[in-house]
Amino acid sequence: MISVLLADDQTLVRVGFRSILEGQPGIAVAGEAGDGADAVRQCGALRPDVVLMDVRMPDLDGIEATRRLAADPAHAGLKVIILTTYELDEYIYGALRAGASGFLLKDIDPAELIRAVRVVAQGDALVAPSVTRRLIAELAGRVDPQAAAPALDALTVREREVLTLVADGLSNTEIAARLFVTPTTAKTYVSRIMQKLAARDRAQLVIIAYEAGIVTPRRLLR
């Protein structure tokens, strides 16, 4: 059962998402939070698998709440999906770097919301990868060019190739087809890369690949 916490300062938004998710096989809404601080507290008490986290909330915004959750070893398996009204919200890049697994627009179709929760809970793919790639490219200039790139020496040549494909937004199945291997083998490569780079999920692999210079805005937007 996938346990979901809804964090948004607008009651109607929470009610809408609850109505969509409740009753879905394998999904349960564990609770609701009206601000980031409450979301952090409730994650400690309820231990949800996924948090739908609004960006702009009083007391503590969604980015800082995500950062605190990601930094807490007690929430190592928690997945955060950032919610935004705007496709290119200036705060989302920071949210992904803070540990979010992806982001969604609030006007997402119900079926896509349900799918996103399932996908992120499994850690198998980014939410809306094409939008995420476009966002990262758009906000690339905001990254500190002096920041140290992650050490990738531990990766083999093949693993670097797989990392590039992950950053391009390919699923395990698509990576398998590109490299002429089985989906299981592709998944194993991705899991091994995540372990070596201490990445929480595929969203973090995209960030690492970009900041290490393996991919560029031009490549991400192709």
Side-chain angles (χ1 to χ4, degrees):
M1 182 70 70
I2 302 171
S3 176
V4 182
L5 176 70
L6 308 176
D8 197 294
D9 62 333
Q10 298 183 38
T11 302
L12 286 178
V13 172
R14 300 198 306 270
V15 169
F17 284 158
R18 177 181 281 274
S19 68
I20 292 171
L21 296 174
E22 281 190 331
Q24 292 298 319
I27 297 178
V29 177
E32 301 180 14
D35 59 62
D38 191 24
V40 173
R41 285 193 296 270
Q42 293 210 45
C43 281
L46 301 174
R47 301 293 181 182
D49 300 305
V50 176
V51 180
L52 296 182
M53 183 87 75
D54 188 22
V55 172
R56 296 166 179 163
M57 293 185 290
D59 191 11
L60 189 70
D61 64 47
I63 295 176
E64 181 57 30
T66 298
R67 184 175 293 111
R68 294 184 186 185
L69 291 169
D72 188 344
H75 300 299
L78 178 66
K79 305 297 183 181
V80 176
I81 301 175
I82 294 292
L83 299 171
T84 178
T85 306
Y86 307 102
E87 185 170 328
L88 290 180
D89 190 307
E90 64 178 350
Y91 300 110
I92 302 301
Y93 184 82
L96 290 173
R97 296 191 74 221
S101 296
F103 75 96
L104 297 174
L105 300 181
K106 287 187 178 180
D107 62 356
I108 188 172
D109 291 336
E112 283 301 307
L113 174 64
I114 296 167
R115 176 182 175 276
V117 168
R118 296 188 191 283
V119 165
V120 171
Q122 294 172 352
D124 287 339
L126 290 170
V127 176
S130 61
V131 178
T132 303
R133 294 198 306 273
R134 187 161 65 250
L135 173 71
I136 294 172
E138 177 71 17
L139 302 182
R142 301 179 185 272
V143 179
D144 181 1
Q146 301 303 317
L152 303 181
D153 294 343
L155 300 185
T156 65
V157 173
R158 186 61 143 181
E159 287 169 348
R160 282 174 176 260
E161 185 178 7
V162 172
L163 176 59
T164 301
L165 295 177
V166 170
D168 276 341
L170 274 65
S171 66
N172 288 342
T173 300
E174 292 168 334
I175 291 173
R178 183 73 63 88
L179 300 181
F180 302 102
V181 299
T182 67
T184 299
T185 298
K187 184 176 181 178
T188 299
Y189 273 124
V190 173
S191 297
R192 188 178 302 153
I193 294 168
M194 289 173 59
Q195 183 177 18
K196 286 184 176 182
L197 299 182
R200 289 168 58 89
D201 49 38
R202 296 171 77 105
Q204 291 295 293
L205 288 183
V206 173
I207 298 297
I208 290 171
Y210 176 79
E211 293 184 342
I214 290 179
V215 291
T216 63
R218 179 181 297 278
R219 182 182 181 89
L220 288 168
L221 282 168
R222 70 181 182 178

